[in-house]
Amino acid sequence: MAIDLKSDWTAADISALLASVEDDRSWRLEVSADGIARLHDISTVPDAAYEDALHCFFEIWEQGTDFVGPGAASDNSLCRKLERILRENYPTLKGVRTLSAL
């Protein structure tokens, strides 16, 4: 699942994104240069060219930390915080390309 940040979206979409994966591996929330937010499976480490093509990305959420999956999806505070951070950093990046969400 992905969220097009150029369209109308809400914290409910963040919840659906988090629910779309299991907490069985490490994930990273990324935003592509064209404004698509998605979770990237970090079991395959992206190369520098891949990362350079991104608008921004968040720290890695390690397996078993409950930052993705059904538990995270039901955490309204987490979903609202991620919504706020995404809105603050797309289309104009507020800070560094690697963002800390938590």
Side-chain angles (χ1 to χ4, degrees):
M1 179 184 174
I3 301 170
D4 183 348
L5 300 181
K6 298 177 302 301
S7 66
D8 291 334
W9 59 277
T10 67
D13 296 303
I14 298 291
S15 177
L17 177 65
L18 295 175
S20 72
V21 299
E22 294 295 323
D23 190 17
D24 60 353
R25 66 195 75 176
S26 297
W27 297 93
R28 181 171 75 176
L29 179 60
E30 301 176 342
V31 179
S32 67
D34 60 347
I36 305 299
R38 65 176 45 96
L39 293 168
H40 179 85
D41 174 359
I42 297 297
S43 62
T44 56
V45 179
D47 62 20
Y50 175 84
E51 289 191 346
D52 287 345
L54 294 173
H55 175 71
C56 65
F57 54 89
F58 293 80
E59 76 273 10
I60 295 171
W61 295 326
E62 297 292 338
Q63 175 182 348
T65 58
D66 292 326
F67 284 109
V68 298
S74 66
D75 184 338
N76 292 330
S77 176
L78 173 63
C79 293
R80 284 192 310 271
K81 185 172 190 171
L82 291 173
E83 176 191 20
R84 179 183 53 79
I85 290 169
L86 286 170
R87 289 190 190 283
E88 287 175 353
N89 287 284
Y90 190 84
T92 304
L93 191 58
K94 181 178 173 180
V96 297
R97 288 185 57 240
T98 305
L99 305 171
S100 178
L102 307 167

